[in-house]
Amino acid sequence: MNFGKRATNKKRNALTSRSTMIGKKAHVSLLRVIFLSLLAIFVIGACAGLGAFKGLLDSAPDIEDVNIVPVGEATFVYDANGNQLQKLTAPNSNRMPVTLDKIPKDLQNAVVAIEDERFYEHNGIDIRGILRAGVKGILSGGNFSEGASTITQQLLKNNVFTGWTNESTVQRFTRKIQEQYLALQLEKHTSKKVILENYLNTINLGNGNYGVQAAAQDYFGKDVSELSLSECTVIAGISQNPTKFNPAVNPEENSKRREMVLEHMLDQEYISKEQYDECLADNVYERIQQVAQQQQQEENKVYSYFIDELTEQVVKDLQEQRGYTESQAYNALYSGGLRIYTTQDPAIQQICDEEYANPHNFPAGSQVLLDYRLTVKHPNGEQENYSKEMLQDYFIKNENQNFTLLFNSQEDAQAHVDAYKASILADGSEVVAESVNFIPQPQSSICIIDQYTGYVKAIVGGRGQKSSSLTLNRATNTLRQPGSTFKPLATFAAALNEGGMTLATTFEDTPYKYKDGTPLYNYDHAYHGTVSIRTAIQESYNIPTVKAMEEITPALGVEYLKKFGFTSILDTDTELPAGSGKYFSDVNLPTALGGITKGVSNLELTAAYAAIANGGTYIKPVFYTKILDADGNVVIDNTPEETSVVRPSTAYLLTSAMEDVVKKGTGKRLQLNNMPVAGKTGTTDNYKNLWFAGYTPYYTCAVWAGYDDNTVLPAGTARTYQQTLWKTIMQRIHNDLPSKEFEMPSTVEKASICTKTGLLATYSCKSVTEYFDTETLPKKYCDGHFFNFFKPGNNSDDEKDEEEPKPDDSVDVPDEITPPETPETPDVPEVPDPPETPETPDGQTPPTDPQTPAEQ
């Protein structure tokens, strides 16, 4: 390097030259610009950040509008005695909120110790916890898995920011900022006790349990207030990961977490070392497994037929009476924390259930109806569904053109299922889902109502094991032809009430044809001459009934059926099915005999007979008395609707005639040993439907029997098993009830009348004692038998001349003679009888029993 004078001067001149100085100034200016730019960017960024931050806070929910109370609570159903029948829950609503004073202090401390140890000190967010979680995240190489959320924040996350499970990273960042902001605001307005109480009622504790009360009952079979310290620590350890730490499913993992809970409680001086050791030594998981087995059995228990119908009625009433949408009604039912008080009498329901489970009450050699569904995945990846109808078509083509889904044994049905499935899987397809049910046949249903209140005391919607909830309910949801049970309702109620007729009014039981020329017969193919209305009811004669309907007009008969509560009656021409161009109406004469288009439900038939038993006042049947919300406020007061259908005198006259049905008519097998019974038998053409609807001074009951697919009940089968069920069940119900008679109203009088003319009897008449409404009591005396006075049998001795009951033959005919008591006794050859319920109403052929077989 040259350090000479010349070189030094040259360098000095270069440094101080004008060009050099300009360069230096430019460099300094550039640095200044860069600095100022960076400063501006920082300021702008800070302002933008502050603006964005303020925007996030401004967009957060208003603290005044925030609701930290958990949403979704189980609904409870109670019987008439106040005992719990059922708990109804949606997947996220198995919650039973309790106040903090009902939650053990040990459980409160355990949750605070493991989840938010400075809960009682911080103001909503835990700065120390955030810093600790951040340091651990950095030291672990970016694994920020340790949470720093306080109990207050978690409460807001679960009850306010409910969509957090599906949020993106940006959304999560936004939510965390708003969550922390609201946590600070919430703790300014709300006490720690309220926050902790709502949190303990909110948290997911596995097994579908939300809140500590649901968890306590599920895992330990007790209320949360009864939990021990050891049990409290089990529950406190679940919430961080409800699946992983589920004590019933993963006891080992929960045990590890529980030990951490105990260590935190010991460190924070909530428990002593002695308590710590005692809890670790407690074999709490063995108790949990025992309870879990019991709970599993309860969970597998399907809804009863009563609960099935109850849920339908509650949803309907919430819509009609409270203005709910269908979705809101279902949410209220399964997540609204309702308390539903039903009318079900547990003792009566148990009797019904027991008798329907007794195979001796049903025909020997019962069959099964196959209900089948299959879903398979084909080798090409496509899924395909197969129905029972497809199975039937397969065997119609490959086995028998008359093939049905009715089998003589379950083994036979299963063999056909296996063969059908094998044909489908032959190409290598795999089963995705399969449902097989074998439904006993013939079937039956029963309804029992307290006629004075309209309360449904018990129902059974079918025999056999109920495979799932909300299945076919034959007591309420199927329509069947009512047969002769319709005679008192469709014809004689109107005839006695406003048709000017009495029980003594007579008709000539002689050959008769409908207007279209179709002949009408009685069940016995015989004619009986002059027949009174009482006798027509007692013996279930068709021709006098139709003649009575003809006089009062079918329109009036249908009007009365509507008053009796039947909703399936067609009082105008109706197109069935829609778009078919075919119209049907029940305003015709065959309706007198139960020959109607759609049929009726058992529940509505029972309610109609209950109206007669209730002195002529119809009460719409109810399954519950009231619905309360979780706070005890009335949601629905289900006061029954009442309608006067017939006068009390008319109701009593019908009752008197139907007592004779049981005493000496077609229902002699239905007598109870300590109680009067009034009722009516009913059998439709070819024994497709068997009925008995009757009542005592206490209860009204109707039993239906038949095949789900309308198969004719085979000859040789006990065709009176509906009567066996009715009598057995009602006798058990009435065994301990005081005997009493049907009450006769003051508007009814009795008089001795002529059996031929229905007028007041004289010494020359063959007479009987009859009951009358005081307004229709005959005023004239009969004078047509004077010259026959001395003929044998013509006198006024009521007891001597009253018609004797017919012998109890064993000829198996509908609505008439009683077959042997035991199902095993074979029937004697039956009398060929025409349809009791004509299939051709005034020239039309209604679609009888349109409902599809069971489960469809």
Side-chain angles (χ1 to χ4, degrees):
M1 182 161 301
N2 189 355
F3 291 100
K5 183 177 180 181
R6 182 179 293 179
T8 302
N9 288 334
K10 186 177 180 180
K11 184 175 289 188
R12 183 185 297 115
N13 291 336
L15 290 172
T16 58
S17 67
R18 190 168 183 272
S19 60
T20 300
M21 296 303 293
I22 292 174
K24 287 182 178 180
K25 289 181 180 180
H27 183 67
V28 171
S29 298
L30 178 61
L31 292 174
R32 186 180 294 118
V33 168
I34 293 172
F35 174 75
L36 292 175
S37 298
L38 291 174
L39 181 62
I41 291 172
F42 175 78
V43 171
I44 293 171
C47 292
L50 289 173
F53 184 75
K54 186 177 185 303
L56 287 177
L57 299 186
D58 290 342
S59 64
D62 191 325
I63 192 62
E64 299 296 334
D65 299 328
V66 166
N67 181 13
I68 60 172
V69 178
V71 177
E73 184 178 337
T75 287
F76 291 92
V77 178
Y78 304 94
D79 66 23
N81 296 337
N83 303 311
Q84 183 180 318
L85 277 175
Q86 191 80 45
K87 181 171 71 172
L88 307 177
T89 64
N92 297 323
S93 67
N94 186 22
R95 179 182 287 110
M96 292 163 269
V98 288
T99 55
L100 195 64
D101 61 323
K102 297 292 193 301
I103 302 173
K105 195 67 177 176
D106 284 334
L107 181 52
Q108 299 177 40
N109 293 338
V111 170
V112 169
I114 192 64
E115 296 193 28
D116 188 2
E117 62 182 271
R118 281 177 291 281
F119 171 71
Y120 294 107
E121 302 168 12
H122 63 63
N123 58 355
I125 60 175
D126 184 6
I127 302 298
R128 288 171 57 184
I130 293 172
L131 293 175
R132 184 193 67 245
V135 170
K136 285 192 175 182
I138 294 172
L139 295 177
S140 63
N143 180 16
F144 294 91
S145 60
E146 180 171 329
S149 294
T150 63
I151 285 176
T152 311
Q153 289 177 251
Q154 292 179 61
L155 178 63
L156 289 165
K157 180 179 73 172
N158 286 317
N159 292 342
V160 178
F161 300 98
T162 54
W164 62 270
T165 55
N166 298 315
E167 62 191 5
S168 64
T169 302
V170 174
Q171 290 172 329
R172 181 174 184 272
F173 175 78
T174 300
R175 187 257 304 166
K176 291 293 289 186
I177 296 297
Q178 294 180 339
E179 185 184 282
Q180 291 175 347
Y181 168 71
L182 286 179
L184 294 171
Q185 298 297 312
L186 181 63
E187 294 228 2
K188 293 178 182 178
H189 297 80
T190 309
S191 70
K192 294 283 188 179
K193 287 185 177 180
V194 172
I195 291 171
L196 183 59
E197 176 182 301
N198 281 285
Y199 177 72
L200 292 174
N201 283 312
T202 295
I203 48 179
N204 182 351
L205 293 170
N207 260 17
N209 299 304
Y210 291 83
V212 292
Q213 172 72 342
Q217 290 194 353
D218 187 31
Y219 296 125
F220 298 104
K222 60 176 73 172
D223 287 337
V224 67
S225 60
E226 301 171 343
L227 294 180
S228 66
L229 170 61
S230 178
E231 293 164 344
C232 287
T233 58
V234 169
I235 289 179
I238 299 172
S239 62
Q240 186 189 57
N241 190 325
T243 300
K244 179 180 179 181
F245 298 130
N246 182 322
V249 179
N250 298 312
E252 298 83 4
E253 293 297 328
N254 181 271
S255 178
K256 296 174 185 177
R257 178 71 175 172
R258 172 173 172 257
E259 189 170 347
M260 290 179 60
V261 173
L262 286 167
E263 289 173 357
H264 278 68
M265 294 184 75
L266 182 61
D267 291 342
Q268 296 167 41
E269 299 182 351
Y270 285 121
I271 60 174
S272 65
K273 184 62 167 63
E274 183 180 358
Q275 289 175 303
Y276 173 88
D277 294 334
E278 186 178 310
C279 286
L280 287 182
D282 179 23
N283 190 5
V284 65
Y285 297 101
E286 182 177 332
R287 300 199 299 276
I288 292 175
Q289 290 302 319
Q290 293 173 351
V291 174
Q293 293 175 1
Q294 299 172 358
Q295 295 290 356
Q296 186 64 39
Q297 293 176 356
E298 287 298 315
E299 290 175 8
N300 292 337
K301 185 178 179 182
V302 301
Y303 292 174
S304 68
Y305 288 109
F306 192 100
I307 298 297
D308 280 354
E309 179 62 22
L310 173 74
T311 59
E312 290 188 19
Q313 297 230 351
V314 169
V315 168
K316 179 182 177 183
D317 291 348
L318 286 173
Q319 293 178 78
E320 294 180 353
Q321 298 185 37
R322 297 303 300 255
Y324 289 15
T325 64
E326 184 177 17
S327 176
Q328 289 171 335
Y330 276 105
N331 285 337
L333 178 62
Y334 292 101
S335 304
L338 303 179
R339 304 295 185 264
I340 304 173
Y341 294 86
T342 75
T343 60
Q344 185 186 81
D345 186 310
I348 295 177
Q349 185 65 62
Q350 183 177 352
I351 290 172
C352 292
D353 292 339
E354 288 174 355
E355 296 302 333
Y356 267 75
N358 183 355
H360 297 295
N361 290 328
F362 295 91
S366 293
Q367 299 172 291
V368 294
L369 187 68
L370 175 64
D371 181 38
Y372 185 67
R373 289 179 292 274
L374 176 68
T375 300
V376 303
K377 183 178 181 181
H378 293 303
N380 62 6
E382 293 183 359
Q383 285 194 5
E384 187 172 1
N385 298 320
Y386 296 86
S387 66
K388 60 185 178 183
E389 291 79 13
M390 296 167 73
L391 180 149
Q392 183 175 6
D393 289 341
Y394 173 84
F395 286 107
I396 287 176
K397 295 175 182 178
N398 294 279
E399 183 176 300
N400 181 355
Q401 64 179 359
N402 297 319
F403 181 86
T404 70
L405 298 175
L406 194 62
F407 297 88
N408 290 327
S409 69
Q410 181 172 322
E411 292 74 17
D412 188 18
Q414 184 64 58
H416 281 80
V417 167
D418 294 340
Y420 179 62
K421 185 166 62 173
S423 70
I424 294 172
L425 302 181
D427 64 352
S429 298
E430 298 177 357
V431 175
V432 175
E434 184 180 23
S435 173
V436 186
N437 288 301
F438 306 103
I439 305 160
Q441 301 293 321
Q443 271 291 340
S444 179
S445 68
I446 188 172
C447 291
I448 299 178
I449 293 177
D450 180 339
Q451 56 254 30
Y452 308 111
T453 62
Y455 292 173
V456 179
K457 292 299 180 179
I459 65 168
V460 178
R463 61 182 289 215
Q465 183 177 359
K466 194 170 185 288
S467 58
S468 58
S469 301
L470 305 177
T471 54
L472 178 70
N473 192 335
R474 299 165 187 82
T476 59
N477 295 336
T478 62
L479 303 180
R480 307 297 298 225
Q481 295 296 315
S484 290
T485 61
F486 244 34
K487 291 174 179 176
L489 305 170
T491 302
F492 296 121
L496 297 175
N497 203 59
E498 62 177 288
M501 302 182 196
T502 71
L503 290 178
T505 299
T506 60
F507 292 91
E508 293 305 311
D509 185 10
T510 54
Y512 177 90
K513 292 182 180 181
Y514 289 113
K515 290 180 180 180
D516 65 354
T518 302
L520 175 64
Y521 302 95
N522 293 314
Y523 66 85
D524 57 0
H525 284 214
Y527 304 104
H528 308 90
T530 303
V531 173
S532 69
I533 287 181
R534 176 183 287 275
T535 302
I537 294 173
Q538 172 186 309
E539 302 298 335
S540 199
Y541 292 148
N542 292 336
I543 293 173
T545 303
V546 170
K547 287 185 174 181
M549 169 73 91
E550 204 166 24
E551 285 198 22
I552 65 169
T553 75
L556 183 61
V558 166
E559 181 182 328
Y560 270 76
L561 290 174
K562 301 288 281 189
K563 290 180 180 179
F564 274 119
F566 292 105
T567 58
S568 56
I569 299 299
L570 303 181
D571 55 358
T572 59
D573 286 342
T574 305
E575 187 179 20
L576 291 175
S580 67
K582 297 180 180 179
Y583 290 82
F584 300 94
S585 169
D586 292 327
V587 186
N588 49 51
L589 292 177
T591 295
L593 310 178
I596 56 178
T597 307
K598 290 184 174 181
V600 299
S601 73
N602 190 332
L603 178 64
E604 290 189 348
L605 185 65
T606 308
Y609 270 79
I612 301 174
N614 189 35
T617 298
Y618 171 80
I619 303 178
K620 185 177 181 180
V622 296
F623 282 73
Y624 68 94
T625 58
K626 61 184 176 181
I627 301 176
L628 307 181
D629 64 18
D631 297 322
N633 302 310
V634 176
V635 177
I636 293 180
D637 181 3
N638 199 27
T639 302
E641 303 172 16
E642 297 188 10
T643 305
S644 178
V645 182
V646 297
R647 297 187 300 269
S649 57
T650 301
Y652 182 80
L653 296 178
L654 290 171
T655 296
S656 176
M658 287 192 285
E659 280 190 276
D660 279 357
V661 170
V662 177
K663 290 178 180 177
K664 52 187 176 180
T666 60
K668 291 187 289 293
R669 297 179 74 250
L670 282 306
Q671 297 176 33
L672 303 183
N673 59 26
N674 64 336
M675 203 72 60
V677 174
K680 186 69 188 71
T681 53
T683 306
T684 63
D685 50 307
N686 296 322
Y687 300 94
K688 289 181 180 177
N689 297 283
L690 309 173
W691 290 92
F692 183 73
Y695 50 91
T696 69
Y698 290 96
Y699 299 109
T700 302
C701 173
V703 175
W704 165 83
Y707 279 81
D708 283 331
D709 62 354
N710 289 313
T711 295
V712 174
L713 202 67
T717 303
R719 288 172 167 174
T720 54
Y721 74 94
Q722 81 284 8
Q723 297 182 10
T724 299
L725 286 164
W726 195 97
K727 179 177 180 177
T728 303
I729 290 170
M730 289 293 274
Q731 185 64 70
R732 287 184 63 185
I733 292 171
H734 289 80
N735 275 338
D736 298 324
L737 295 176
S739 180
K740 62 180 180 180
E741 298 297 321
F742 293 109
E743 185 176 348
M744 185 174 74
S746 60
T747 52
V748 172
E749 293 184 24
K750 62 181 179 179
S752 180
I753 53 100
C754 174
T755 59
K756 292 291 185 182
T757 65
L759 299 176
L760 293 174
T762 64
Y763 58 85
S764 66
C765 298
K766 180 179 180 181
S767 63
V768 294
T769 298
E770 188 54 271
Y771 292 92
F772 298 88
D773 183 296
T774 52
E775 295 183 1
T776 61
L777 188 70
K779 304 294 190 296
K780 295 182 179 181
Y781 283 91
C782 178
D783 59 1
H785 308 287
F786 181 81
F787 295 105
N788 296 324
F789 174 62
F790 294 103
K791 290 184 178 181
N794 285 344
N795 58 66
S796 58
D797 186 345
D798 294 348
E799 295 299 324
K800 185 181 296 182
D801 290 336
E802 195 166 9
E803 185 175 347
E804 292 294 323
K806 295 185 178 182
D808 192 1
D809 297 335
S810 59
V811 180
D812 188 11
V813 292
D815 281 352
E816 169 56 4
I817 310 302
T818 305
E821 288 281 339
T822 57
E824 293 74 20
T825 305
D827 295 332
V828 298
E830 48 179 345
V831 177
D833 54 326
E836 182 188 68
T837 303
E839 292 189 0
T840 311
D842 289 351
Q844 297 177 344
T845 303
T848 305
D849 288 340
Q851 76 276 358
T852 54
E855 310 298 328
Q856 186 177 31

